[in-house]
Amino acid sequence: MEHLKAMAIKGVMTLVVLWVILGAIYGMSFWPMILLTTIVLGIISYFAGDLGILRQPVI
């Protein structure tokens, strides 16, 4: 459950930022470009950052 909540928060924040930058400034369409980019970036950053880098013990 904690993984789902973390991915949802990350997804919403990423979606808002990409929608403002890519949609409003560069005029990209919401579907498929912004939404698919959010999904791909969210999955990659969650597994690489949250589960990989942040879970490692501090030396």
Side-chain angles (χ1 to χ4, degrees), residues 8-50:
I9 292 170
K10 183 181 291 287
V12 169
M13 291 182 352
T14 306
L15 182 65
V16 169
V17 170
L18 287 178
W19 186 37
V20 168
I21 293 172
L22 296 179
I25 296 175
Y26 292 106
M28 288 182 146
S29 63
F30 183 77
W31 175 258
M33 294 305 296
I34 296 174
L35 191 59
L36 287 177
T37 304
T38 300
I39 292 169
V40 170
L41 285 177
I43 291 171
I44 291 172
S45 68
Y46 182 73
F47 286 110
D50 294 356

